[in-house]
Amino acid sequence: MNDTAKTPIRLLVHGASGRMGQALLRLARERDDVRVVAAYSRSQPAQRVKDEVPQFAAAELGGAPDFDVAVDFSLPDGFDPVLALCAARGKALVSGTTGLSSAQNAAINDAAAGIAVVWAANYSLGVAVLTELVRRAAAALPGWDCDVVEAHHTRKLDAPSGTALHLGAAVAIGRGSEPHYASLRAGDIVGEHTVQFAAPGERLELIHRASNRDIFARGALEAAARVAQQAPGRYGLAELMFPNL
Ligand SMILES: NC(=O)c1ccc[n+]([C@@H]2O[C@H](COP(=O)([O-])OP(=O)(O)OC[C@H]3O[C@@H](n4cnc5c(N)ncnc54)[C@H](OP(=O)(O)O)[C@@H]3O)[C@@H](O)[C@H]2O)c1
């Protein structure tokens, strides 16, 4: 192994005080291939350094220390400055912030001419593989009934889930028409997605079950470690992590 391979990738975490940000910071501490060099939240930090990581307010983003990849799990109104920072510095961005506008989506495409950008609505590596399997099954079974059934905890307000719609888009790419959707809201279910293909006499079910929210932070860290070596462009999670799938 050469020295370059051992140098940790320097991460800037944006949205650090949030649920995802805290999981990213905790899981990054367990890895030796990445090192968080700056943590940004909207508010002024209570402590300037926490667990050896410098803490900043989003208003201070322009003076960010040097980094290799920014990992953003914030809110849509925080997204533009972190994309602009990455574009100006020529650094990669991994973002899971949801609810972006079509203008923000177009800005990702523009920025991808100069930097590597990964944006995904779901950073579970299992869902990334499921999406590709669903696309292929839909292409092979165009005449079958197709249903996407999702189950989440009772506090989740949107239905169908963003992941169900993402899987439905893969069905539509595969066979040219949308599936039907069904949603269950019950108990504390973290997230379950079933894509069912049915024909007279047989059913094919592809299922993903999430039992812990850490899977999203873990997938984002894997993507950050991988994207640091990539050429400029916009990458989906599956194509970045499983290019030979
Ligand atoms: N793609 C996926 O796999 C996935 C999985 C889970 C969540 N998400 C998405 O990730 C995002 C964060 O989720 P969460 O549950 O961690 O939310 P959260 O707990 O509400 O945390 C939001 C974080 O963003 C910061 N923030 C808010 N507005 C900002 C701004 N204008 N500039 C900079 N930072 C800002 C907040 O800072 P303050 O605390 O200072 O306000 C906080 O650190 C959401 O968009 C959510 O939908 C995506």
Side-chain angles (χ1 to χ4, degrees):
M1 195 185 274
N2 62 33
D3 285 346
T4 315
K6 285 188 222 156
T7 307
I9 292 156
R10 297 166 300 171
L11 302 183
L12 181 156
V13 172
H14 190 247
S17 58
R19 282 163 292 216
M20 282 300 298
Q22 290 295 298
L24 286 163
L25 294 174
R26 174 169 47 79
L27 292 169
R29 283 200 293 276
E30 297 172 6
R31 303 175 61 128
D32 53 15
D33 60 340
V34 296
R35 185 165 60 89
V36 179
V37 296
Y40 283 81
S41 305
R42 175 172 36 195
S43 332
Q44 282 294 334
Q47 284 172 259
R48 271 297 173 187
V49 178
K50 197 174 167 206
D51 297 323
E52 300 179 11
V53 177
Q55 311 279 317
F56 302 96
E60 301 170 305
L61 209 51
D66 207 10
F67 63 95
D68 300 309
V69 181
V71 183
D72 164 63
F73 282 80
S74 60
L75 296 180
D77 62 356
F79 179 78
D80 294 352
V82 75
L83 179 66
L85 174 72
C86 291
R89 300 267 188 105
K91 305 297 184 185
L93 174 63
V94 170
S95 177
T97 298
T98 60
L100 299 182
S101 67
S102 50
Q104 288 175 312
N105 191 43
I108 294 178
N109 294 335
D110 291 345
I115 60 170
V117 184
V118 190
W119 184 87
N122 187 317
Y123 272 89
S124 150
L125 298 182
V127 166
V129 173
L130 174 65
T131 306
E132 177 59 17
L133 298 178
V134 164
R135 186 191 63 74
R136 287 198 215 171
L141 306 169
W144 291 32
D145 294 332
C146 183
D147 295 86
V148 178
V149 183
E150 56 97 352
H152 284 88
H153 52 83
T154 47
R155 284 166 289 113
K156 185 169 179 66
L157 299 176
D158 57 316
S161 67
T163 300
L165 295 171
H166 169 73
L167 292 167
V171 170
I173 290 168
R175 66 174 199 171
S177 62
E178 291 276 337
H180 294 110
Y181 296 95
S183 301
L184 303 177
R185 295 289 172 264
D188 61 354
I189 300 168
V190 173
E192 296 185 3
H193 292 87
T194 301
V195 182
Q196 174 181 280
F197 296 90
E202 57 181 321
R203 271 192 307 157
L204 170 66
E205 291 179 320
L206 299 168
I207 303 175
H208 180 267
R209 294 191 180 94
S211 51
N212 188 314
R213 289 178 181 80
D214 279 1
I215 58 173
F216 307 120
R218 207 170 281 126
L221 291 174
E222 291 290 340
R226 181 72 62 96
V227 81
Q229 287 98 43
Q230 299 295 318
R234 181 173 181 160
Y235 298 87
L237 187 61
E239 74 178 306
L240 178 73
M241 299 307 301
F242 310 107
N244 301 318
L245 189 67

